Amino acid sequence: MASGVLQPHINDLPEPALRGILLTSVQAENLLRYLSACARVCCEWRRVVVESRADVAKAIDTGLHLPRRQVGDTGAATLAAALQAMPRIRFEHLNLDRNKLGPPALVSLAPALKVPWGKRGLRRLIVSDNRELGNAGVATLAAALPRSLEQLSLRETGCGDDGFAALAAALPNLQRLRALDCNSNVAGVRGWSALASALPSLPALEELGGRDTSQSRARRLQLHFSSQGESS
């Protein structure tokens, strides 16, 4: 573990069971550092299995990486409280891949996404493999997406037509977006068509679902979305 990196004891963490808890900036920093160091965190947050701490310094530098840690809706509320308690969030990346997040999790996290992140804002957001999100969760997220975003992954979020329509309405605000992944969802022709219609408003877009979009971008992307809708 890198020297100078604080590792708070689990008993020093604030009790997360209460929604709307108030954390000092020091408590919030400690909580985020601890979460970055854990390989698996259960929803109760008191039952923590620490498997590796070698990447703590890197994890707390520019990204908060918490994939596959069973965060859930309760954990997301605690995480959101910690983020909002910090005078300025140092991170530019947030990875919550495969954490059993539902719509309540996004309701909790939405205010934290709207405050300043890092030196250049929140640039990378991954919430893929959270099938519990559905239309309501994706719509809530879409309304909170910061203009600084450059990469967004919503793969396998259980999103249907209404969620994609909400996302399409928000996309014109993301002028820096370079990569977008919405594959493996349940939307049909209406949802994919709504997204396709919003693509010309994204001048920086280079990658869609892992595909390069440099040549004949708008046409290729529209064909891609059309094929997704027809296969749903």
Side-chain angles (χ1 to χ4, degrees):
M1 182 174 66
S3 60
V5 176
L6 176 64
Q7 267 319 150
H9 190 273
I10 185 64
N11 291 332
D12 294 332
L13 299 181
E15 175 58 51
L18 301 177
R19 278 185 173 275
I21 56 176
L22 299 177
L23 307 179
T24 67
S25 60
V26 173
Q27 287 175 319
E29 184 81 4
N30 287 351
L31 177 58
L32 294 175
R33 289 185 179 202
Y34 191 88
L35 296 181
S36 293
C38 296
R40 185 170 72 251
V41 181
C42 295
C43 291
E44 294 85 354
W45 298 98
R46 290 283 180 180
R47 299 169 50 211
V48 179
V49 178
V50 181
E51 297 174 354
S52 173
R53 297 182 177 183
D55 61 346
V56 175
K58 181 179 180 180
I60 66 173
D61 185 14
T62 59
L64 183 58
H65 305 288
L66 299 169
R68 300 174 177 84
R69 301 193 184 183
Q70 305 179 45
V71 171
D73 295 340
T74 301
T78 303
L79 177 61
L83 289 169
Q84 292 181 79
M86 299 180 70
R88 183 175 181 86
I89 300 172
R90 69 173 62 189
F91 311 110
E92 295 182 358
H93 305 159
L94 176 60
N95 184 348
L96 292 172
D97 174 79
R98 198 172 299 180
N99 269 301
K100 298 184 179 180
L101 303 180
L106 272 300
V107 171
S108 298
L109 289 167
L113 298 179
K114 296 179 180 180
V115 301
W117 284 63
K119 294 181 179 180
R120 294 179 290 177
L122 179 60
R123 298 189 295 123
R124 183 185 184 197
L125 178 60
I126 300 176
V127 292
S128 53
D129 290 310
N130 287 292
R131 298 175 182 82
E132 298 85 355
L133 285 177
N135 287 322
V138 171
T140 299
L141 176 63
L145 292 174
R147 295 176 181 270
S148 57
L149 208 60
E150 297 178 8
Q151 179 178 348
L152 175 63
S153 179
L154 294 169
R155 176 184 290 267
E156 293 190 50
T157 53
C159 188
D161 291 340
D162 291 341
F164 273 19
L167 177 62
L171 286 180
N173 295 322
L174 307 181
Q175 294 295 291
R176 300 179 184 178
L177 192 67
R178 297 185 295 103
L180 173 64
D181 189 353
C182 295
N183 287 348
S184 302
N185 279 293
V186 298
V189 173
R190 180 169 67 87
W192 288 106
S193 296
L195 279 183
S197 66
L199 294 178
S201 67
L202 301 175
L205 193 65
E206 299 173 350
E207 184 177 316
L208 180 69
R211 298 187 181 186
D212 175 40
T213 64
S214 57
Q215 297 180 357
S216 304
R217 177 171 50 203
R219 179 57 180 163
R220 287 181 59 191
L221 295 186
Q222 288 176 353
L223 288 173
H224 170 80
F225 273 121
S226 297
S227 65
Q228 290 287 336
E230 290 170 359
S231 63
S232 299

